[in-house]
Amino acid sequence: MYNDSWLKSFFNSGFYEKYWGWELEKEDPAQIAESVLKLLDAESGHILDWCGGWGRISLHFAKRGFKVSILDFTPEYLYRARESFKQNGLALDTIFADCRETPPHIQADYAVCLFNSLGFMDDKEQVKALVSLNQALKPGARVVMDVMNLLFLAPDIKRPFEAKRPDGCISRQTNSFDFITNTMHSYFEIIDDWGNVRDRKEFYQRLYTPADLKALLEAAGFKVDNIFGGFNKEKITFDTPKLVIVARK
Ligand SMILES: C[S@@+](CC[C@H](N)C(=O)[O-])C[C@H]1O[C@@H](n2cnc3c(N)ncnc32)[C@H](O)[C@@H]1O
């Protein structure tokens, strides 16, 4: 199951670059940033990109004039974030920390936690992390978070998923599911033309229904304003892959 050494080595292993880099390139980060700012109802101020990685989305908040801080525990991602903000002539505050220990002095006006960055720990630890986020925000601060919708994924979890990659190899994901904790356990593999497994990563993530996500944020002291099926306020259905929650301190 989850443990801290798996968590750190997983994110240090270059998983996103190897397995999801080409999927991420299909998204338009500037467009997502615009939609998130609308959800936050934000015109100016300080945004904390919590578990923000290399600042894929928050770079565009900074381009719009927001002060941005990125908290993450993967040094390589924070280094990349600093380089890309610098290349764009933008200021950035990076916070190298575990999200369970978000420094309370940050006192941001807004926070985001994007691209399925919840659920890498059990609920007790996740609530602890969200409580520390809550304490690092100003009273009334709005937050936007997105995760995968368990109700959308459920029918296909047990089927192996394969996709052809741009490098010609096959990317395969094989899952099992723990019904007591709603945790998906996956093996991600890259398989070449000769059937050799070139790379293999083990992955755990707690998946949420809308009700689970609401309860999680409320347990950490947030007030939930809305849950949508996408960044453009889509209605949640069994067919919307994402859950986007808007809450406030
Ligand atoms: C799925 S990536 C998303 C990155 C970014 N939010 C984005 O939209 O591109 C998850 C991020 O969470 C970070 N992370 C995971 N667990 C963490 C923890 N316990 N403390 C701090 N950062 C963590 C990882 O290093 C990684 O950058």
Side-chain angles (χ1 to χ4, degrees):
M1 278 300 276
Y2 316 93
N3 66 60
D4 281 10
S5 69
W6 165 75
L7 192 62
K8 285 214 168 108
S9 66
F10 175 79
F11 286 106
N12 275 303
S13 70
F15 173 80
Y16 287 97
E17 296 78 350
K18 278 189 193 144
Y19 287 87
W20 274 339
W22 46 294
E23 284 294 332
L24 289 177
E25 279 164 21
K26 291 182 190 160
E27 294 186 331
D28 177 359
Q31 190 57 55
I32 296 174
E34 277 312 308
S35 304
V36 171
L37 289 177
K38 280 193 191 130
L39 291 172
L40 289 171
D41 198 15
E43 292 296 334
S44 62
H46 178 192
I47 303 182
L48 171 61
D49 189 0
W50 197 63
C51 300
W54 52 100
R56 200 169 56 94
I57 308 295
S58 52
L59 174 72
H60 300 277
F61 299 150
K63 285 185 177 176
R64 283 279 312 273
F66 287 87
K67 174 180 172 188
V68 171
S69 300
I70 300 180
L71 178 144
D72 205 284
F73 75 167
T74 305
E76 173 65 23
Y77 290 163
L78 291 177
Y79 172 77
R80 275 175 59 186
R82 282 194 295 272
E83 287 300 301
S84 88
F85 277 62
K86 198 159 65 182
Q87 275 165 20
N88 284 277
L90 297 165
L92 171 67
D93 178 28
T94 53
I95 303 149
F96 173 52
D98 189 292
C99 63
R100 285 163 285 191
E101 287 161 11
T102 308
H105 66 76
I106 300 172
Q107 295 304 302
D109 303 299
Y110 305 95
V112 295
C113 176
L114 301 171
F115 193 55
N116 302 317
S117 301
L118 295 176
F120 301 124
M121 50 189 83
D122 65 28
D123 284 1
K124 196 167 151 230
E125 291 294 296
Q126 190 64 73
V127 169
K128 186 173 154 191
L130 287 163
V131 166
S132 81
L133 169 64
N134 190 303
Q135 288 166 353
L137 300 176
K138 286 188 184 152
R142 278 200 157 197
V143 303
V144 168
M145 303 185 171
D146 77 288
V147 295
M148 293 182 281
N149 178 7
L150 172 55
L151 300 178
F152 166 84
L153 289 178
D156 289 325
I157 282 181
K158 62 180 187 293
R159 277 180 225 137
F161 172 78
E162 289 195 356
K164 190 88 172 160
R165 300 160 50 89
D167 62 6
C169 293
I170 300 285
S171 205
R172 182 192 292 155
Q173 180 179 353
T174 318
N175 308 313
S176 57
F177 192 72
D178 175 358
F179 289 90
I180 306 300
T181 59
N182 283 357
T183 301
M184 182 172 70
H185 171 239
S186 311
Y187 284 111
F188 286 88
E189 293 171 318
I190 297 176
I191 298 155
D192 67 20
D193 282 350
W194 297 273
N196 302 314
V197 175
R198 288 236 203 123
D199 194 78
R200 189 174 205 242
K201 299 262 176 293
E202 193 172 11
F203 181 72
Y204 298 93
Q205 192 162 28
R206 199 304 195 192
L207 300 177
Y208 303 96
T209 65
D212 293 338
L213 185 60
K214 180 170 183 278
L216 189 76
L217 267 88
E218 286 176 349
F222 288 97
K223 295 170 198 74
V224 173
D225 289 327
N226 244 314
I227 313 186
F228 299 108
F231 290 119
N232 297 310
K233 300 192 178 179
E234 293 88 342
K235 189 171 158 14
I236 303 170
T237 70
F238 290 108
D239 301 317
T240 45
K242 265 187 205 308
L243 299 177
V244 176
I245 191 159
V246 183
R248 79 202 124 84
K249 179 171 175 176

